[in-house]
Amino acid sequence: MDVISIENTTLCAANCIMCVREQYTRGITCMTQELFEKCVDESVQCGVKMINICGLGDPLMDPELEQKLAYIKNNYENISVVLSTTGYRMNGKLLDIVCDYVDEMNISMYGIHKETYERVHGGILKYEENKKNIDELLSRKKRPYVIMALLDMPETHGEIEEWKSYYSGRADQINIWQLHRWPHSGNTDMTFKKKKPCRCYRLDTLEACYIKVDGEISPCCFDFNTELSIGNITKSSLTEILNGLRVQELRDMQEKDCLRDSKLICGDCDQLYSREGALEYSTNEEVGIGQNMFYQVLTQENAD
């Protein structure tokens, strides 16, 4: 496992129309420094090379963000730090912090006009403020590698070309994605089940493994309420959890091809069906536009 995600906070200033925060049942809080350090230490011991700071909240909302990021870089300088954010509050000291400690930033900017952006993101996010923050980041010589992300949805579809034109010459990379489906969120559209079935690479690789703000761990980044918990790092070591009985049980279900018919969130998940078109556009030619790379690899392995 090369990558792991750590949810440093569940605080968020946005109220995005496609988010599931209203159905979120865990606490709105920040991970303690002690727990964060334990997560980092044990992740490195497991061979992780990249730590993604993200989750259901916005990492920049954590008042102890600098302390957490500094711990990684001061103790593990070879570990890459990725941070996913809307860019809210990314000015002044916070802008300096991300430029000092973060290697890659994934920034959600769903809209190129004020009305669209504020309708999609909701909450207290203001288009002018966030755009200014992002433009300031992009103008700096010393800054992280910046990936700008846009979701192709009815509200943003008409602005795609204008959005691409603006950020293509400014960010290091831009990606345009289709919406994914949150399992067990009440979405009754089951048309995804007409697509070709595929394996869940999350279980095969654990590359989407999330350590939640309370220490619970899920192998799935879409498991917003941690229904698939494989353990809690406050009670067991990360190594024990990743090699534990629960992970093996889920993998056995995958081998028996019964995840899709289970009552787990997997039975309500579009990621177990072909998602070749999930990435619609990218300026990075290596990411595989119009195809699901994991799906291809796993299908080929099965064929062999």
Side-chain angles (χ1 to χ4, degrees), residues 6 8 38 49 52-53 121 148 179 183 278 280-281 291:
I6 301 177
N8 68 314
K38 177 178 173 63
K49 300 179 178 65
N52 185 14
I53 310 297
H121 287 273
M148 297 298 300
L179 281 170
E280 296 182 357
Y281 176 85
Q291 55 187 309

Side-chain angles (χ1 to χ4, degrees), residues 83-213:
L83 189 146
S84 302
T85 180
T86 61
Y88 174 70
R89 296 177 63 195
M90 189 176 61
N91 52 36
K93 185 178 180 181
L94 265 177
L95 182 56
D96 293 335
I97 289 171
V98 298
C99 289
D100 287 340
Y101 296 110
V102 178
D103 299 295
E104 177 183 305
M105 289 194 73
N106 293 291
I107 302 178
S108 304
M109 189 69 175
Y110 304 152
I112 196 65
H113 295 293
K114 175 181 174 66
E115 289 185 3
T116 302
Y117 178 86
E118 294 184 4
R119 182 166 67 250
V120 172
H121 287 273
I124 61 174
L125 270 62
K126 299 300 179 185
Y127 175 75
E128 295 89 347
E129 294 176 12
N130 266 27
K131 182 175 180 297
K132 181 180 178 182
N133 293 342
I134 294 168
D135 286 346
E136 173 61 26
L137 172 68
L138 294 174
S139 70
R140 290 204 173 187
K141 291 184 179 180
K142 181 183 181 299
R143 62 167 174 79
Y145 183 91
V146 177
I147 301 175
M148 297 298 300
L150 176 70
L151 282 177
D152 184 357
M153 49 200 303
E155 292 80 4
T156 63
H157 186 76
E159 300 179 6
I160 287 178
E161 292 306 317
E162 189 175 356
W163 187 94
K164 284 165 57 176
S165 177
Y166 186 82
Y167 287 109
S168 290
R170 292 173 170 82
D172 299 292
Q173 180 177 327
I174 66 172
N175 294 333
I176 299 176
W177 297 89
Q178 291 180 353
L179 281 170
H180 70 77
R181 184 179 188 279
W182 291 100
H184 280 190
S185 63
N187 188 335
T188 58
D189 183 359
M190 296 295 168
T191 55
F192 67 91
K193 292 195 173 185
K194 297 179 180 180
K195 297 181 179 180
K196 184 177 180 180
C198 65
R199 291 174 66 89
C200 177
Y201 82 88
R202 290 161 178 80
L203 288 180
D204 284 324
T205 66
L206 294 180
E207 296 290 348
C209 201
Y210 263 78
I211 306 178
K212 303 301 181 73
V213 71

Side-chain angles (χ1 to χ4, degrees), residues 59-73:
L60 299 184
M61 296 288 288
D62 183 353
E64 296 182 345
L65 177 63
E66 181 176 16
Q67 187 177 350
K68 291 182 171 73
L69 295 177
Y71 181 80
I72 301 176
K73 285 303 182 180

